[in-house]
Amino acid sequence: AMKEELEKYEGIEVYLTHETDKDMSLEERAEFARDKNADFLFCLHFNLSEHHTLFGAECWVSAFGENYSKGYGFASVEMELLEELGLYSRGIKTRLGRKGLDYYGIIRHAAERDIPCVLIEHCHLDQDNDKPFYDHDEKLKAFGRLDATAAAKYFHLRSDILGVDYSGYQNVVVDVPADVVAPDSTEPDFCA
């Protein structure tokens, strides 16, 4: 659905790493994006939580340099649209592995190839609070169209077919960080 919607915009070519059910490593996916000279790699997911208590949407981005800046810029648009849909925002996050690199392989491998990447967790499939957002095939397709709209806004696209022009859309300005943007590990003052 995201591909179909994005292709309605001018000057866009969309490639899917998976058009059939086949195995493809995370590194192969990033390599595929590099071979296609991709401007961005979007990794679309639905979440589950260990104790089935978490709900809402979140985006994961690289913790490093321009990949952080571009990832956070896109994720800001994506999260705004997901919140407008009614989902709880779990935020835009980075996560580091034991070696101090991006934890998520798809983000790490994309960053190694200088491709901005965002891992989008649309909602939690094991939580009743999120069930109304995914309980029908049309709602799943709506997520794809929402993702396409976020990309169109981020890249300032226009579509005569859809009758929209985002060329004047104001993206959030995210400075390129000088250091790694590590997750905040500060203990909360209060938890409820």
Side-chain angles (χ1 to χ4, degrees):
M2 181 182 186
K3 179 183 188 303
E4 289 173 8
E5 189 78 358
L6 261 179
E7 288 177 337
K8 295 175 182 173
Y9 289 88
E10 296 173 9
I12 295 301
E13 193 160 355
V14 180
Y15 299 97
L16 299 175
T17 58
H18 287 76
E19 294 193 44
T20 61
D21 189 17
K22 66 176 181 176
D23 282 337
M24 189 178 210
S25 73
L26 299 175
E27 191 165 9
E28 288 171 327
R29 295 173 205 193
E31 191 64 25
F32 174 86
R34 188 190 65 129
D35 290 346
K36 298 296 183 187
N37 199 27
D39 295 307
F40 220 103
L41 178 59
F42 301 102
C43 192
L44 311 178
H45 283 254
F46 291 89
N47 223 338
L48 297 168
S49 64
E50 183 179 1
H51 301 290
H52 313 296
T53 55
L54 301 178
F55 57 91
E58 61 193 355
C59 287
W60 295 90
V61 301
S62 176
F64 299 93
E66 278 193 31
N67 288 312
Y68 172 80
S69 176
K70 291 176 180 178
Y72 199 100
F74 168 80
S76 296
V77 182
E78 177 77 16
M79 289 306 300
E80 180 180 308
L81 293 174
L82 289 167
E83 285 182 84
E84 286 175 9
L85 188 63
L87 281 155
Y88 173 74
S89 173
R90 295 181 44 77
I92 302 167
K93 304 174 181 182
T94 63
R95 184 173 178 186
L96 300 175
R98 280 185 245 122
K99 295 180 181 179
L101 302 173
D102 288 312
Y103 173 83
Y104 292 105
I106 192 65
I107 294 172
R108 186 176 60 254
H109 293 305
E112 290 167 355
R113 290 157 178 83
D114 293 321
I115 302 168
C117 178
V118 173
L119 192 158
I120 304 165
E121 295 282 7
H122 291 92
C123 63
H124 285 72
L125 298 179
D126 60 346
Q127 179 47 245
D128 286 341
N129 288 343
D130 285 352
K131 192 170 187 171
F133 296 99
Y134 69 84
D135 63 357
H136 188 276
D137 188 53
E138 186 52 41
K139 291 181 181 179
L140 295 174
K141 290 176 184 174
F143 276 124
R145 290 188 297 273
L146 181 145
D147 298 336
T149 300
K153 287 182 172 186
Y154 177 77
F155 284 107
H156 305 108
L157 304 178
R158 58 176 307 221
S159 169
D160 290 337
I161 295 169
L162 298 173
V164 295
D165 182 353
Y166 297 120
S167 58
Y169 184 80
Q170 189 66 37
N171 283 315
V172 172
V173 176
V174 182
D175 292 331
V176 175
D179 295 316
V180 62
V181 182
D184 183 359
S185 60
T186 307
E187 289 295 319
D189 292 330
F190 175 75
C191 227

